[in-house]
Amino acid sequence: MNEEYTGVIREIIFHNNENGYTVAVFETESEGFEEEFTVVGNIPQVAAGRTYTLRGSFVEHPSYGEQFKVSSFEEQMPTSEEGIREFLASGAMKGIGPKTAAAIVALFGEDTFRIIEHEPNCLTEVSGIGSKTAVRISEAFAQQREFASVTLQLQKYGIGAEYALKLYQSYGMDTIRVLEENPYRLIDDFYGIGFVKADKIAEKMGFQKDDPFRIRSGILFTLNHFSRDGHTCLPEEELCEKAAQLLELSRQQVRQQLEFMAFSGEIHIDLIQQKKVVYLMSFYLAEQSVCKNLRMLRGADLKPLAGGEIDSLIRRTETAMGIPFSENQKDAVRTSLQNGVSVITGGPGTGKTTIINAIIDILEDSGQKTAIAAPTGRAAKRITETSGHPASTIHRLLEYSYTEGEDGLRFGRNGENPLEYDAVIVDEASMIDLLLMDALVRAIRPGTRLILVGDDDQLPSVGAGNVLRDMISSEYIFCTKLTKIFRQAGESMIVVNAHRINRGEYPDCNVRDKDFFLLRRSKVPEMLQTLLDLCVRRLPAFFPKLSPVRDIQVLTPVRKGPLGSVNLNQRLQAVLNPPDPQRLEKTHGDRVFREGDKVMQIRNNYEMKWRDCEDFTEGEGIFNGDVGFIQSIDPELGEITVLFDGTRYVTYNPAQLEELELAYAVTVHKSQGSEFPVVVMPISWFPPVLATRNLLYTGVTRGKTAVVLVGSEDQLHAMVDNNRISMRYSGLAWRLAQLLKLENELREG
């Protein structure tokens, strides 16, 4: 039930300046009696001694007891001399402390606020206040009253205090004017405000359904929504249909606005294979740029290798490594060294790491400077461990930085300041999305070898695009596919079964003394209980050197449902890291974070600061999919410190906790680029769009020591049979194929 109280903030226990989140002691009078209770919620620019009307309801916090959760508020200006003195002394206005506040009120009494607002020069009559200070006090008072007025108006439109503060910080005194002109710009300007929320605000402001701002916003929202599913463009007809459904308008109304948007440069309409497609301008320009730069890299003259012909260099490397290469492997090395751009693809156990090491050795022996990179920190760390050569993320290689406003993410290495390497090798290339590929190829100067290594049968990138597959299918880029499983890898049933799954054959489970198991369970509650028992008891007993939290990873196709990552995380946390008086915890929404928890960053945050505990260096950037462990929780500040990669400490304030999730269980998509000693995966009925062969293949190939599937053999077979490849709309393969066709015609003609 919503309740309302008017009273004074007596003490601030915690306040976050970024979002206004506050924990405070509130004093009010009820039925003639004074009453105190704790209030929590977003109250920007709050200060002790100020009077508020608070609306909300009482809730029970598991650790801190009863609290009043604020849903909306309104500051009340005091009218008594004592109230005015407390307000001025609260820190609301710079330049006024308790003594100055008392002196001002002693001189002007209940007329103080009028003097500050309309006759600030009179303040100079108070000892210690000069003309400049008087102006600052008046300006601070005006800003404070303006913000209070803006907040109150925004609440009428359903905009809470947290977003009110962000809006005011961005738009200042123009906040209401900007919003009333076009509330849909909130979608572009603020993370977390989507079309539905902006549309509700616009409706309260009286915007009509066919308003051009609304149609434009609906079109952009639809394109952005589908880009999150991996599409870089959409067929015009499909876009019009989806946007019309969202907007509850006709396709023709949407199509008319499309033409205006294309003319203004917000979107691009192209013709691909005789079909009209619509791009967000950023994806269209990225596709064009990738094609242009791949063409330049592919056709450039390469720095010659020292020490003889390539075949003799390969033989010398075989001898040095003590490994005879297959003809397939030799061809991969040869093709990579002979061409400006090349791709090496293959499944587990086919020798991709061996090939990478051989190429690096040949290049370095020839005096050529080589960079090794991967899309994620986890993948880069694994390359370093398996190859012995230092690797970095692509972002770090390109020297990324983040600037508030302007263009946001920037790369220090680009066309004007290219990478100073003779070769760039990128592993886990299936994870590279279109925008990252664009940044990479822009920064590589012609004459540098670009070698992409990956498994094109895995799930595609989380971001938009299907870069590796598009490059291979276009046949414009030289590609070698490794197919032979080598003896040592062939002894692992994980490797054998991964290839069986990929060929559409059912995996061979529970082979004696091997590493691939299926525990048959027919009902979801049985599967769930078995998963918990495996992580807590059975697997730690079987692998006593492995940590149940660090080394056992549950993977699942879905987020929701009893076998989804959300529910599995809650259940696994309860048994692997249960409540303990010795471990502090913090509740955020429906999640509880506890010291010792395994957690994951769920979106790229280029501004997040970290500190390395080994060399004490500092940097910025924590990325979607990074996994760490909670080291400490500050109960007063509400901050959580997480250790990533065993070396980087990151502190999250309460506003940043939206970016953090428990990671005892993660989706298969989120696991890309990682390897885990033991993988446990439920096999039940899941939506067919997710229960696919390549999702199963990707999940299985994450396991290093053991893979344990729990569930139905029939559903396992159904996943293998479901060879649905998630189709992504993209023009990259077509554009590259057109380049190949054009170059062939020029050669022939």
Side-chain angles (χ1 to χ4, degrees), residues 37-236:
F37 48 81
T38 301
V39 298
V40 295
N42 296 97
I43 314 175
Q45 300 186 358
V46 69
R50 288 158 69 173
T51 302
Y52 291 88
T53 296
L54 304 180
R55 302 172 192 87
S57 57
F58 284 97
V59 296
E60 188 71 26
H61 189 280
S63 300
Y64 304 115
E66 188 177 64
Q67 299 175 331
F68 186 77
K69 189 172 183 179
V70 178
S71 59
S72 65
F73 70 92
E74 181 179 348
E75 185 173 1
Q76 306 293 335
M77 296 302 291
T79 55
S80 69
E81 290 189 9
E82 180 183 356
I84 294 171
R85 186 169 56 250
E86 283 193 9
F87 176 88
L88 294 178
S90 69
M93 267 147 285
K94 293 178 182 178
I96 300 181
K99 288 184 179 179
T100 305
I104 292 173
V105 175
L107 186 59
F108 301 113
E110 295 179 0
D111 204 28
T112 295
F113 287 152
R114 187 191 64 78
I115 293 293
I116 291 174
E117 187 171 9
H118 299 294
E119 301 178 39
N121 58 304
C122 294
L123 293 175
T124 58
E125 298 174 26
V126 178
S127 176
I129 297 181
S131 57
K132 290 183 179 179
T133 301
V135 170
R136 281 201 302 269
I137 291 171
S138 182
E139 288 175 347
F141 182 79
Q143 185 182 50
Q144 193 273 340
R145 298 310 304 142
E146 180 182 87
F147 175 70
S149 173
V150 166
T151 301
L152 195 59
Q153 290 183 70
L154 292 177
Q155 286 178 5
K156 295 176 183 176
Y157 297 137
I159 300 174
E162 179 181 356
Y163 282 114
L165 179 60
K166 292 179 180 179
L167 290 172
Y168 186 75
Q169 287 171 340
S170 295
Y171 306 140
M173 62 184 296
D174 293 326
T175 298
I176 301 301
R177 179 187 61 77
V178 166
L179 211 59
E180 289 178 343
E181 283 179 0
N182 178 17
Y184 295 99
R185 68 178 293 177
L186 295 177
I187 302 169
D188 300 324
D189 293 350
F190 298 97
Y191 174 80
I193 296 183
F195 178 81
V196 174
K197 187 174 183 66
D199 204 33
K200 287 180 179 177
I201 295 169
E203 186 179 7
K204 290 180 180 178
M205 290 180 167
F207 276 71
Q208 299 301 307
K209 282 186 177 293
D210 60 354
D211 187 280
F213 282 130
R214 182 173 185 269
I215 301 175
R216 169 194 169 276
S217 180
I219 290 169
L220 293 176
F221 175 82
T222 304
L223 286 170
N224 275 299
H225 174 79
F226 278 89
S227 75
R228 288 192 288 272
D229 288 335
H231 305 287
T232 60
C233 59
L234 273 182
E236 185 185 59

Side-chain angles (χ1 to χ4, degrees), residues 12 71 294 492 573 605:
I12 306 293
S71 59
L294 285 177
S492 165
Q573 182 194 44
N605 187 328

